């Protein structure tokens, strides 16, 4: 084994470059939610936060993949199409309808409509702020 300083420096540079690329790929693949927290915050949307926690505990995924608008509409119909019109509660689905994992097989729960509107706005804001595009994966954490 040679202790050529030039070769050692080249190998170290290559190793650091590979680590940087791996870090970039990982951060693109699993985008942590702003502030290390989630789309459903216990203080702002307690019913939705409880539903997401229960769904994840029951085996629903924590890593989701953003879906296209057409897929979102189909997912919403598949998960919440049975919800009675005029209900005082809104149908909340997890995984979110806006993800590939949403739709048929999603966990559903009745939540206050005001929470549903707030959470929908927060999810859209998260997608914009974190630059989550269709096909990107992200991690759902409930605070």
């Amino acid at each position: 084994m040679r202790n050529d300083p030039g070769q050692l420096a080249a190998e170290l540079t290559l190793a650091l470059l590979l680590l940087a690329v791996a870090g970039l790929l990982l951060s693109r693949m699993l985008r942590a939610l702003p502030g290390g927290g989630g789309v459903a915050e216990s203080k702002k949307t307690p019913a939705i936060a409880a539903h997401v926690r229960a769904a994840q505990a029951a085996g629903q995924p924590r890593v989701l993949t953003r879906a296209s608008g057409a897929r979102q509409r189909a997912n919403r119909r598949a998960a919440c199409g049975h919800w009675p019109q005029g209900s005082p509660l809104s149908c909340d689905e997890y995984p979110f309808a806006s993800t590939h994992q949403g739709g048929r097989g999603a966990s559903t729960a009745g939540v206050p409509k005001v929470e549903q509107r707030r959470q929908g706005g927060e999810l859209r804001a998260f997608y914009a702020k974190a630059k989550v595009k269709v096909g990107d994966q992200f991690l759902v954490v409930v605070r």
Side-chain angles (χ1 to χ4, degrees):
M1 190 193 270
R2 296 174 45 191
N3 286 337
D4 179 12
Q7 184 178 0
L8 185 58
E11 289 173 1
L12 183 57
T13 301
L14 179 60
L16 289 172
L17 181 61
L18 289 173
L19 282 172
V21 169
L24 287 173
L25 290 173
L26 184 60
S27 69
R28 174 126 172 100
M29 193 173 94
L30 297 175
R31 296 178 189 267
L33 301 180
V39 172
E41 296 189 27
S42 297
K43 291 181 182 178
K44 292 181 181 178
T45 54
I48 292 174
H51 176 223
V52 171
R53 275 194 192 104
Q56 289 177 341
Q60 293 288 359
R62 287 172 163 70
V63 176
L64 303 179
T65 308
R66 186 169 181 192
S68 68
R71 176 82 179 254
Q72 292 176 37
R73 289 185 290 280
N75 282 352
R76 195 163 286 111
R77 280 190 302 275
C80 293
H82 67 283
W83 205 258
Q85 294 292 324
S87 171
L89 297 175
S90 178
C91 178
D92 181 55
E93 70 273 12
Y94 184 84
F96 309 121
S98 60
T99 67
H100 284 281
Q101 295 78 10
R104 189 178 337 178
S107 173
T108 58
V111 299
K113 291 178 181 181
V114 67
E115 280 193 34
Q116 190 74 314
R117 286 189 294 273
R118 183 176 296 137
Q119 190 265 349
E122 289 177 3
L123 183 56
R124 283 188 298 278
F126 161 69
Y127 286 156
K129 184 175 181 178
K131 297 182 176 128
V132 178
K133 295 174 180 52
V134 171
D136 286 349
Q137 293 184 313
F138 59 97
L139 178 65
V140 177
V141 179
V142 180
R143 291 196 291 185

